[in-house]
Amino acid sequence: MTWEILNIVAVAAFAFSGAIVALSERYDIFGTFMLGIATPFAGGIIRNIALDVPVVHVWEQGYLFYIAVATIAIVYFFPKSWVLFWDRWNIYLDAIGLSAFALQGGAFAVAAGFPLGGVIFAAILTGVGGGMTRDVLAQRKPMVLHQEIYAVWAMFAGLAIGLGWVDINHTFEMYLLFFVIILLRVLSYHLGWHLRFRDLYRM
């Protein structure tokens, strides 16, 4: 049940985010649905390819595809005056998707028996892959390349899961980590936390 809820939240958040970006870039209905679908599922596909796991596993949970399509349809028929408003809130939707998918990727790797490095790698790819795909397709600068810390929080989720700090079978611990990653991502955005070590050398 924990994973079902996290998957639903992650897919809906990323599908919503992808659709909002598509509409803000004036995509037509086909482009909106394509970008909205690519955002929640691309990370899992990239992860499976990198870990040499059959990609078909990503598509076996068919209800998530319908959730994505329904979410995109709702967004598409929003009054167009709402699009710019929601685009300003896209950072929060992205933080939700980043956190949920990073946890999912880390837990997926643990269940598959991968070592710590594989768990961290899976968490990063699953967490940031969808958002990066969305931004690249929309010809935007990917969030993962921004100065604010982004991919590090996915790596932290993988580290916490891989080292056993968080038990993937313990609902409370997983949801606690889920909200902690969201909080850290939002704080890093608003407070301008970054990894520009170059600036330290100039001091």
Side-chain angles (χ1 to χ4, degrees), residues 45-126:
I45 293 173
I46 295 170
R47 175 202 65 211
N48 282 21
I49 292 174
L51 297 181
D52 196 25
V53 176
V55 177
V56 68
H57 293 166
V58 177
W59 306 108
E60 288 179 345
Q61 298 177 350
Y63 71 97
L64 293 176
F65 178 79
Y66 298 120
I67 289 173
V69 171
T71 302
I72 297 164
I74 292 172
V75 173
Y76 187 80
F77 292 106
F78 268 168
K80 296 303 179 277
S81 59
W82 292 12
V83 172
L84 292 179
F85 169 80
W86 280 109
D87 195 33
R88 290 194 295 268
W89 288 84
N90 213 9
I91 174 63
Y92 302 102
L93 295 172
D94 194 83
I96 293 172
L98 168 71
S99 180
F101 277 123
L103 267 64
Q104 183 215 66
F108 175 88
V110 167
F114 284 93
L116 177 61
V119 175
I120 295 174
F121 192 57
I124 293 174
L125 289 181
T126 313

Side-chain angles (χ1 to χ4, degrees), residues 8-43:
I8 291 171
V9 169
V11 167
F14 264 11
F16 196 103
S17 174
I20 288 294
V21 169
L23 289 176
S24 68
E25 297 294 334
R26 299 184 181 277
Y27 281 31
D28 61 14
I29 186 170
F30 180 79
T32 301
F33 273 86
M34 288 299 98
L35 193 60
I37 291 172
T39 306
F41 295 113

Side-chain angles (χ1 to χ4, degrees), residues 131-142:
M132 177 175 284
T133 301
R134 174 201 62 212
D135 294 339
V136 169
L137 291 177
Q139 297 183 345
R140 292 186 172 190
K141 182 179 179 181

